[in-house]
Amino acid sequence: MSGEHDLIVVGAGAKAAGIATKVHAANALGLARLSVKVIEGTEVAASWKGRNGMTSGEEPLAVTPIKDIGFPYRSHIEFGEAGEAIDAALAQFTWQQYMIFKRRYARWVDAGSPPVRHRDYGEYLTWVLSRATEGVEHLRARVRQATLDEAGERWVVEAEEDGGTSRHVCRALVLTGPGIHRAFPHEPSVAGRVFHCDSKREEFTRIPEGERCDVAIVGGGESALSATMFLRELRPKCRFTIYTPLLPMSRGESFLENRVFSNPDAVEWESLDRVTRRDFVKHADRGVFDPPSLAKIAYDDRVEFALGRVTDVGAAAAEGVRLEYESPEGVVHSEHDFVANCTGFDLLAQMRTLFPARVREEIEGRVGGLWDQPAGTEVPIGRNLELRGMFPRLHIPGLAGLSQGPGFANLGALGLLSNRVLQPCLAEVGITSSNQILDTGKPVT
């Protein structure tokens, strides 16, 4: 059993990097003495580098990397002048500082600050996490389960390492990552022709090279676009049909939309009715394509769209798969050689595997029905991105988009995300929005 930590973060990606840097800054300034452990089962920034599924690493990042791990740098709202000192200390972790360190900043700016690849962003996150060290530990292990201690006041995380199983205790648990791919009904006989949005990219080599295969892409969001862009390059002779239940849309980048991501309080997000919030998320984040990538396939005769919701995948009369989908004209059937399930990820499904049955029952006893609610039910997430009513705290930023603001489920406001998660910890040591702490006398290294 390891010592107790203030936080354990599951997953060493962008959200972990945002939290780790803020903890590093607060500790280095002498404002707090927080202890955080980041547990990762594969590698740092695994979702971005192209070796672990979900991306080839070559796709363009949907947002500008200037929205880095500290953005929007408005920590004074949560922590007063102490927050200003923390934001100033984060200057060493910015995207610009990373590019200066790599001696590529001038070239990037002179080129017009172009979009970067997922792989580039993953390397940036790796660089950040290697330098955010004050009070931050890393553990290469796969989390097997999370339970409560006997008093029900601490989380106990069991992790599987090369040398065996270890147990780690924390006062609050942060779950990051997208979850597992959504259920996709299909006959067992066609499993070899079905890919998922978290399939490792080498699995797609099952599509024969040099043949004119027909591939169905099911989904209308970033995962579907990523798979399409990758497969267009991998198998240039293939044809692709993208099945989406909504009309394909491109992501807007206006000031008003961006402001909602970086400062949801500006529009009093929590006071908006559920329909308004859901529509904004749907049209500005979920089910949309980024304009540069969409432009690449706009006049590609190999790519077409079909409006409808796929309900079943079975074996075709010959080799291949037979899709059943609900279209505006009714139920329609079509045949393809392969199909990629890019309908998105399910964090609650991942949580079912993380928490034993008795813990799931305990959670529902405190927060209400959760595990078997109808699809689309809003999860009760509080202002600190925690499961409302659950103690010890369970922070799930990936489920906070609808309740707290669209930027918490993606890269839209990593600095605000870390502030919300860390606010209870820093409040316990007296750091609040009323603090007047500008000169600590300690340099941040």
Side-chain angles (χ1 to χ4, degrees), residues 185-195 206 313-316 320-322 339:
H186 62 273
E187 294 180 2
S189 60
V190 300
R193 294 180 176 270
V194 177
F195 304 101
R206 295 204 302 266
V313 178
V321 295
R322 182 173 183 264
V339 58

Side-chain angles (χ1 to χ4, degrees), residues 240-390:
F240 307 95
T241 302
I242 301 174
Y243 290 86
T244 170
L246 301 173
L247 292 172
M249 301 184 67
S250 61
R251 176 181 284 107
E253 294 291 345
S254 75
F255 164 75
L256 293 176
E257 290 169 318
N258 286 335
R259 183 182 61 161
V260 178
F261 280 80
S262 62
N263 186 15
D265 287 343
V267 296
E268 298 181 351
W269 180 267
E270 289 185 83
S271 68
L272 299 176
D273 63 85
R274 183 180 301 181
V275 173
T276 300
R277 287 182 282 122
R278 193 179 297 278
D279 283 347
F280 185 93
V281 170
K282 181 169 60 178
H283 294 303
D285 183 36
R286 306 285 176 85
V288 292
F289 294 151
D290 69 271
S293 297
L294 191 59
K296 292 182 180 180
I297 64 175
Y299 296 102
D300 189 340
D301 292 336
R302 296 173 296 164
V303 181
E304 62 180 27
F305 289 84
L307 190 62
R309 185 180 300 277
V310 174
T311 56
D312 190 57
V313 178
E319 290 187 351
V321 295
R322 182 173 183 264
L323 267 61
E324 177 182 284
Y325 67 99
E326 298 173 350
S327 75
E329 292 78 30
V331 177
V332 181
H333 295 88
S334 61
E335 294 189 359
H336 303 270
D337 296 303
F338 296 89
V339 58
N341 166 28
C342 298
T343 55
F345 298 88
D346 189 340
L347 255 174
L348 284 178
Q350 184 180 41
M351 289 167 62
R352 290 187 188 96
T353 66
L354 179 65
F355 299 117
R358 59 185 176 81
V359 178
R360 295 199 301 271
E361 293 175 3
E362 180 72 21
I363 292 174
E364 284 199 322
R366 302 187 190 188
V367 308
L370 187 64
W371 310 111
D372 299 315
Q373 298 301 302
T377 300
E378 183 175 356
V379 178
I381 300 294
R383 185 170 178 81
N384 299 118
L385 315 185
E386 84 287 4
L387 196 57
R388 189 180 286 123
M390 183 63 200

Side-chain angles (χ1 to χ4, degrees), residues 160-276:
E160 187 174 346
E161 306 175 55
D162 290 340
T165 301
S166 57
R167 302 175 77 226
H168 311 268
V169 180
C170 62
R171 300 165 59 203
L173 180 62
V174 185
L175 303 182
T176 70
I180 59 178
H181 61 256
R182 296 188 185 280
F184 193 64
H186 62 273
E187 294 180 2
S189 60
V190 300
R193 294 180 176 270
V194 177
F195 304 101
H196 297 279
C197 43
D198 55 354
S199 294
K200 292 186 182 299
R201 285 318 194 225
E202 59 264 27
E203 294 180 35
F204 287 102
T205 57
R206 295 204 302 266
I207 301 174
E209 187 175 5
E211 297 185 15
R212 299 181 182 276
C213 290
D214 196 290
V215 181
I217 308 290
V218 181
E222 209 60 43
S223 296
L225 183 60
S226 175
T228 303
M229 299 300 290
F230 172 72
L231 288 171
R232 283 173 69 250
E233 298 295 327
L234 182 71
R235 296 293 184 256
K237 291 189 176 182
C238 287
R239 294 185 60 84
F240 307 95
T241 302
I242 301 174
Y243 290 86
T244 170
L246 301 173
L247 292 172
M249 301 184 67
S250 61
R251 176 181 284 107
E253 294 291 345
S254 75
F255 164 75
L256 293 176
E257 290 169 318
N258 286 335
R259 183 182 61 161
V260 178
F261 280 80
S262 62
N263 186 15
D265 287 343
V267 296
E268 298 181 351
W269 180 267
E270 289 185 83
S271 68
L272 299 176
D273 63 85
R274 183 180 301 181
V275 173
T276 300

